[in-house]
Amino acid sequence: MVKVYIDGQEGTTGLKIIERFQNRKDIQLIKIDEDMRKDANERKRLINSSDYTFLCLPDVASREAVSFIDEDNHHTRIIDASTAHRTNPDWAYGFPELSLQYREKIAKSNRVAVPGCYASGFNSIVYPLVANGYLPKDYPVFAYATSGYSGAGKKAIAIYESDNKPNEYNSPRQYALTQQHKHLPEMQKVCGLTYQPMFNPIICDYFSGMVVSVPIQTRTLDRKVTPQEIYEMYLKHYDGANFVKVEPLGGVGVLADGFLASNTLSGYNGMQIFVFGNDEQILLCSRLDNLGKGASGAAVQCLNIMMGIDETTGLL
């Protein structure tokens, strides 16, 4: 039995991780007393007494928590759900389905950075396109996404769930309008893009789930490709994946009404890849739960890989 501590156990991601551990018999969950949650010495003690520590914290607090690890401590392994270490080459990037190299690094590393929710959807689409030579590294990539409000933080969640929320909260709201969203460096680095993509996130009045979409004008590529080619490429790239499923071309048999909803996978750890369009214009979409494969589910999946057990443990 391994000892697991969650630094930030009262946050949305921390609570979801705890929920996923409810029926686990191989884990001893260490909890900090409520009145000690911000006590640095107690947090340090628990981090160093654990086999695995999840960091479900703001970036600054996450970096501080890593500094708490004693120099002679060679057993505590860190899984960070913040943005702090996702572009750090010394940390493994926690998206094992992207490549065998990613999976192997997660298994061996003592430091794993869990991908951001938007970045998970974006990278699931764009990484294979670049890696398989369909998209030039200097391509001007544009993406947009619709997401539930659960990833917006406690204050925003409280507003969305209040009886007297402002009228504009009833409408989808675009944000990060300055093109400085915190996931952009991660998207660029992981996919190997020369330039940061343009990204348009939209928060909506439902709890969780998201769709990240990337449109491609085929005339702008080095060579013309068809939706069928892209679809077959994704099938091969994600062959055997437990949590990433490439749906039939055009969503046939999956989207009976021709609409792609964003909340369908709420509460589930899977991810769906869709290819739509025609020979001139292709729309690529990734649907996931921002609290599942986009956060807590991905974190637990990484833990399982690091433990050397079935990666689906506690996630199906």
Side-chain angles (χ1 to χ4, degrees), residues 41 79 85 98-99 102 119 158 172 195 201 244 288:
N41 289 328
I79 303 169
H85 300 101
L98 288 185
S99 72
Y102 277 102
Y195 306 103
V244 181
L288 65 152

Side-chain angles (χ1 to χ4, degrees), residues 5 7-8 32 36-48 53-71 76 78 80 82-85 91 111:
Y5 170 59
D7 199 3
I32 193 169
M36 301 285 283
R37 284 195 302 116
K38 295 187 179 181
D39 185 296
N41 289 328
E42 181 65 2
R43 290 169 56 214
K44 179 177 180 178
R45 184 184 72 82
L46 294 178
I47 289 172
N48 285 285
T53 284
F54 289 90
L55 303 181
C56 303
L57 305 164
D59 290 358
V60 173
S62 177
R63 294 188 182 95
E64 177 189 52
V66 172
S67 73
F68 288 163
I69 300 175
D70 294 334
E71 289 185 9
T76 298
I78 302 294
D80 185 7
S82 79
T83 311
H85 300 101
W91 286 63
R111 305 285 183 270

